[in-house]
Amino acid sequence: MENKAVISVQNINFFYGSQKILNNFSADFEKGSFTCILGESGSGKSTLLRIINGLLTPESGLIKIDGEILNAENLIQKRLEMGYVLQGNSLFPHLTVFQNMIYCLKLLKKSDAFCEDKIADLLHLVGLKEDLLKKFPDEISGGQKQRVGIIRAIAHDPKIVLMDEPFSALDSETRDKLQLLVRDIHEKLKTTFVMVTHSKQEAEVLSTNILQL
Ligand SMILES: Nc1ncnc2c1ncn2[C@@H]1O[C@H](COP(=O)(O)OP(=O)(O)OP(=O)(O)O)[C@@H](O)[C@H]1O
């Protein structure tokens, strides 16, 4: 039967030096699902996310995005079909909040007017005020940075959003708020989410599927 998964990870083997991190690993991620990846520290959760995003290449096995095998030729195009929220603060420090948010939109050559309209909509969705747009990342709070990172990851309407412990550095109140925000975004946009977390509670709040590494 044809495989309808948006992301299909097939028989991946990945090593760091002589250390085998992923051993003949396979998993499918269905369209519109929200998968939380749980596992002990060092079990390879971030490595798997980087392989899906094409930042790391496995020794063997393959990744299919929407049925197409990820390879050197289609890597840049496929990466633009994904949004990526990295661990901690991953905003570009030399760009303003607005420039950070539209980073992928500009790679896709969207007009200034398109970017402005898009960000105006998303600001509302994540509860940020317009006066933040001209600031630089070191002038805003941790929770605001994470919201900006989430907007950057979703602004170009990717098919897939990958998130690597996006809330780990936040206080519990901000974390709870952002969990609900991400859940709302998933419900509204029906994008396929894959999120690495240490927290079973977070996985229970957010996920439609749990992948244990
Ligand atoms: N650049 C690297 N070079 C060598 N070994 C690495 C590198 N990055 C990660 N590792 C090792 O690979 C293993 C898997 O790392 P990874 O970051 O994928 O784990 P993780 O499950 O995400 O861990 P954590 O929950 O602590 O973030 C770990 O043993 C780690 O030490």
Side-chain angles (χ1 to χ4, degrees):
M1 205 176 88
E2 201 192 339
N3 186 336
K4 296 269 193 215
V6 175
I7 309 166
S8 184
V9 178
Q10 299 182 7
N11 308 108
I12 293 290
N13 286 295
F14 184 87
F15 294 81
Y16 274 121
S18 60
Q19 189 189 0
K20 194 165 201 177
I21 310 296
L22 295 171
N23 183 14
N24 199 30
F25 179 84
S26 298
D28 281 342
F29 302 82
E30 298 298 324
K31 188 170 183 195
S33 59
F34 196 128
T35 305
C36 281
I37 305 178
L38 288 169
E40 283 175 19
S41 182
S43 58
K45 303 181 294 296
S46 301
T47 303
L48 176 60
L49 228 53
R50 287 193 203 114
I51 291 173
I52 293 172
N53 195 237
L55 290 167
L56 293 173
T57 309
E59 272 70 17
S60 58
L62 55 87
I63 302 292
K64 282 187 179 176
I65 304 294
D66 238 4
E68 272 181 68
I69 297 174
L70 196 60
N71 58 37
E73 282 75 49
N74 64 17
L75 181 62
I76 291 175
Q77 177 226 324
K78 287 285 165 200
R79 242 190 224 156
L80 281 171
E81 293 175 17
M82 302 184 219
Y84 201 169
V85 184
L86 292 164
Q87 229 170 342
N89 169 29
S90 65
L91 300 180
F92 300 115
H94 59 294
L95 299 181
T96 63
V97 163
F98 180 69
Q99 288 165 334
N100 265 284
M101 288 174 173
I102 64 169
Y103 189 78
C104 292
L105 289 171
K106 280 291 156 196
L107 290 178
L108 290 165
K109 313 234 180 291
K110 298 292 180 190
S111 69
D112 290 347
F114 182 94
C115 293
E116 278 163 24
D117 286 351
K118 187 78 190 177
I119 297 308
D121 285 350
L122 290 174
L123 275 183
H124 180 68
L125 188 69
V126 304
L128 285 177
K129 298 219 170 79
E130 253 182 54
D131 60 359
L132 226 75
L133 293 175
K134 289 199 177 88
K135 295 194 174 181
F136 286 89
D138 66 359
E139 297 172 319
I140 64 177
S141 75
Q144 288 169 334
K145 281 181 198 149
Q146 288 309 99
R147 286 175 158 88
V148 174
I150 292 166
I151 290 193
R152 186 176 61 182
I154 63 173
H156 57 299
D157 296 323
K159 289 181 185 152
I160 296 162
V161 177
L162 307 172
M163 299 195 293
D164 196 347
E165 299 198 50
F167 317 130
S168 59
L170 302 173
D171 62 82
S172 61
E173 198 184 324
T174 310
R175 191 167 60 232
D176 291 350
K177 277 192 196 150
L178 286 188
Q179 280 176 3
L180 295 178
L181 169 69
V182 166
R183 195 173 68 180
D184 279 357
I185 291 173
H186 175 245
E187 277 169 16
K188 280 200 184 98
L189 305 182
K190 304 286 179 223
T191 308
T192 307
F193 276 76
V194 182
M195 179 170 124
V196 167
T197 176
H198 273 114
S199 160
K200 273 196 182 144
Q201 176 268 344
E202 194 159 275
E204 277 158 15
V205 171
L206 289 171
S207 69
T208 57
N209 304 70
I210 290 180
L211 178 62
Q212 184 74 38
L213 277 199

